[in-house]
Amino acid sequence: MKMYAPWEKAFKKVATPLEHFIHAQTTTGIILMCMTVLALVLANSPLTQDYADFFHTEVEFAVGTWYLEHTIHHWINDGLMAIFFFMIGLEIKREILVGELSNLKVAILPILAAIGGMVLPALIYLLINYGSEGASGWGIPMATDIAFAISALVLLGKRIAPALVTFLVALAIVDDLGAVIVIAVFYTEQIHLLPLALAGVSFLIMVLFNRVGIHMILPYFIVGLFMWFFMLESGVHATIAGIIAAMAIPSKPKRAPTDFTTHTKNLLNEYDTYPIATDHTMHEKQKAILLNIKDTIDSVGSPSAKLEHDLHLPVALIVIPLFALANAGISIDFSSVGETILKPVSLGIIAGLLLGKILGIAGVSYIAIKIGIAKLPQGSSMSQLLGVASLGGIGFTMSIFVADLAFAGNDSLIFQAKIGILCASFIAGLFGYLWLRFWSHKK
């Protein structure tokens, strides 16, 4: 086929949804690391006050006598992060319907490993902080940052069996679901029933849209926006609206895939019946046919798959970087870091994310494999699984998010928590990478 734009790529590699997902998470991990470093630099530079003042600036949306006013930091954590949680909801839904979690025999290992990797870190944290003011932070070391963890695995390339990457993705998805449940159930202080009921009604309207076959995104967006507002007013963390809304988005295409080939061939045959002009311009009918083909392609894909694909880039480039910039910047007195790390909150998080995650993920996996209810990921070994378990101790994004909820209004405990998260995540990531790179062995 003759090309008239040789500077453009003729084709793109065909990738599966899982490959798109892994690529997107790798991109997120790299950007997240850069923004974390920038936040730490700003918070420990002469610009530290300007940095703090910017994110505490009040932003107001008003219509008549009604208004909604929050700081930029609050808008990021409760507003933009709802988009992040919406994408997580779409990923969870995909994994359950057609991904690794759709086959119980395959899913049992990452499910059990994720449960072990949530329960044991929480217990270790509670053991260290029991009876103290920091006890409410037990949910902090339960989380795994999927972007950082997958980025580390991707850097290892062919040294790691592809099945291990899939295992980590499934584990992190279950981990995210667990974190959402913990946030909704345990970190909601006061519930206002009327807004919560209205949020429920909004969700039912979205489910109704799904049931009657509405595949346009706009109606779901409008009702979802109302649901987010009602959830914000209810006392339940507003980001939960993102997860719930994702469950209502249609996962079935508008047109049956079996009809796609026949319909497209008919359109292409009709397209070829029109002569090509000498200046290579198309007939008006041909333009209409191309639009019809585009609509046909769009109708074969489901709205949930399209949204998940379309949201990866803005979440990776805008939402997560802004969250890191707003939350990772902590002013560190390096002379007192050693003392801070030994505080019960920091120590509990470090022990939970390092010791708890490794024992929880690798230990439960070992037991499940030994008693015969699960199998090792194909081409991997227990030694490699240990390295993946260490990467599970990178708890950055979700751990910081939970820390802000657990210790709301207590800057001292939030500081201790963030120090613990940063230290543990760095050590877990470095150890996991080095273990898989130099010391682990394949099956």
Side-chain angles (χ1 to χ4, degrees), residues 293-311:
I293 291 174
K294 180 182 179 300
D295 291 340
T296 303
I297 293 171
D298 290 340
S299 67
V300 173
S302 68
S304 61
K306 185 178 186 303
L307 277 171
E308 185 183 351
H309 179 270
D310 291 347
L311 284 175

Side-chain angles (χ1 to χ4, degrees), residues 381-433:
S381 64
M382 276 306 305
S383 177
Q384 289 187 327
L385 202 64
L386 181 67
V388 171
S390 179
L391 294 179
I394 305 174
F396 191 81
T397 306
M398 198 68 82
S399 291
I400 289 178
F401 191 82
V402 174
D404 282 332
L405 296 178
F407 303 135
N410 192 326
D411 292 339
S412 176
L413 292 184
I414 290 176
F415 174 75
Q416 293 172 34
K418 289 183 178 181
I419 287 290
I421 292 165
L422 289 172
C423 289
S425 296
F426 177 76
I427 295 170
L430 183 62
F431 176 79
Y433 176 81

Side-chain angles (χ1 to χ4, degrees), residues 4-132:
Y4 292 92
W7 56 88
E8 294 181 3
K9 290 184 179 180
F11 60 89
K12 293 177 71 176
K13 178 181 178 291
V14 177
T16 66
L18 179 62
E19 289 168 335
H20 277 299
F21 174 79
I22 291 170
H23 175 74
Q25 295 301 329
T26 305
T27 304
T28 303
I30 295 169
I31 297 172
L32 187 55
M33 188 180 297
C34 294
M35 294 305 287
T36 301
V37 171
L38 177 60
L40 288 170
V41 169
L42 288 173
N44 293 277
S45 73
L47 297 173
T48 181
Q49 193 57 50
D50 295 328
Y51 166 79
D53 290 344
F54 173 77
F55 284 108
H56 285 90
T57 302
E58 297 280 345
V59 176
E60 176 183 315
F61 290 94
V63 179
T65 57
W66 175 88
Y67 71 95
L68 193 62
E69 184 178 32
H70 293 295
T71 63
I72 292 176
H73 180 269
H74 196 281
W75 279 114
I76 291 171
N77 284 20
D78 279 35
L80 282 182
M81 284 299 283
I83 302 172
F84 169 73
F85 276 84
F86 177 73
M87 194 179 74
I88 285 178
L90 293 173
E91 289 164 356
I92 291 171
K93 190 175 182 180
R94 170 177 52 80
E95 285 295 311
I96 292 173
L97 292 177
V98 297
E100 291 300 305
L101 302 179
S102 62
N103 184 336
L104 187 59
K105 289 183 179 179
V106 178
I108 191 67
L109 185 63
I111 289 174
L112 291 176
I115 293 171
M118 289 186 285
V119 173
L120 204 58
L123 291 176
I124 289 174
Y125 180 92
L126 278 175
L127 187 65
I128 295 173
N129 286 271
Y130 184 75
S132 71

Side-chain angles (χ1 to χ4, degrees), residues 253-268 292-293 295-297 299-301:
K254 189 174 183 180
R255 180 189 293 272
T258 51
D259 298 336
F260 173 74
T261 304
T262 303
H263 186 70
T264 306
K265 281 182 177 178
N266 291 336
L267 288 172
L268 288 172
N292 198 327
I293 291 174
D295 291 340
T296 303
I297 293 171
S299 67
V300 173

Side-chain angles (χ1 to χ4, degrees), residues 190-231:
Q190 186 179 9
I191 295 178
H192 302 288
L193 294 179
L194 180 58
L196 187 62
L198 291 173
V201 171
S202 302
F203 174 68
L204 291 177
I205 292 173
M206 294 176 74
V207 171
L208 182 63
F209 287 167
N210 188 331
R211 298 298 295 175
V212 299
I214 296 176
H215 282 68
M216 290 178 59
I217 301 299
L218 185 58
Y220 293 95
F221 172 76
I222 294 172
V223 177
L225 200 59
F226 277 101
M227 184 170 70
W228 172 84
F229 171 73
F230 292 137
M231 197 70 80

